[in-house]
Amino acid sequence: MTPRVGWGFDAHRYRHGGVVLLCGVVVDDERGVEATSDGDVPAHAVADALLGAAALGDLGAMFPSDDPASLGADSMDLLGRVVRRVTGAGYAVASVDLTVIAQTVRVAPHREAIRAALAGCLGIEVASVSVKATTTDGMGFLGADEGLAAVAVAVLEG
């Protein structure tokens, strides 16, 4: 079967208090993210990329924000459930490429922990997970450091 490719995106604004998570790794403990779940933006982007590659809808359809079970949900747990759904549909995760877009959140000191957490959740080798970061050089809400975003590409085999 031909490999399948999916693309995912997510963005949230910051809030006072809480933590900023990148694939389950705490990277900022002085501010949080406004979200129904724990607000793990990169985990959401990867989940949508996987669902898109398998043509299984999107994260919002699978875990509606108006469902009380979504309140405070662990996004890495949600991602694990997405992986099980994708594998249940006959696909295997081959690789993921993730880019975090944020003005002041620094990925570099946490890159290997993020890669390891993501690989573990996806059931693939760390070598098949790429984690990058960029800024918007001060442009827009991301550049004004009002929030963060992430884009992800997932490749499935099956």
Side-chain angles (χ1 to χ4, degrees), residues 38-101:
D38 63 9
D40 193 329
V41 171
H44 298 173
V46 171
D48 263 344
L50 293 170
L51 289 167
L56 293 173
D58 62 32
L59 196 61
M62 193 168 168
F63 306 105
S65 59
D66 60 357
D67 180 351
S70 296
L71 188 61
D74 180 323
S75 296
M76 291 299 279
D77 177 61
L78 300 180
L79 179 57
R81 291 168 63 185
V82 166
V83 170
R84 288 189 292 281
R85 183 163 183 203
V86 166
T87 57
Y91 301 102
V93 180
S95 64
V96 167
D97 182 17
L98 169 67
T99 302
V100 176
I101 308 161

Side-chain angles (χ1 to χ4, degrees), residues 26-155:
V26 176
V27 298
D28 184 331
D29 60 4
E30 294 183 8
R31 59 185 163 183
V33 174
E34 289 184 20
T36 303
S37 68
D38 63 9
D40 193 329
V41 171
H44 298 173
V46 171
D48 263 344
L50 293 170
L51 289 167
L56 293 173
D58 62 32
L59 196 61
M62 193 168 168
F63 306 105
S65 59
D66 60 357
D67 180 351
S70 296
L71 188 61
D74 180 323
S75 296
M76 291 299 279
D77 177 61
L78 300 180
L79 179 57
R81 291 168 63 185
V82 166
V83 170
R84 288 189 292 281
R85 183 163 183 203
V86 166
T87 57
Y91 301 102
V93 180
S95 64
V96 167
D97 182 17
L98 169 67
T99 302
V100 176
I101 308 161
Q103 196 63 37
T104 58
V105 168
R106 294 294 172 231
V107 169
H110 310 283
R111 185 181 328 274
E112 294 312 311
I114 296 165
R115 289 180 71 211
L118 199 48
C121 189
L122 299 174
I124 61 177
E125 298 294 322
V126 172
S128 296
V129 176
S130 172
V131 174
K132 306 180 306 291
T134 191
T135 70
T136 62
D137 292 324
M139 296 184 301
F141 86 93
L142 296 169
D145 204 31
E146 296 172 2
L148 76 156
V151 294
V153 174
V155 177

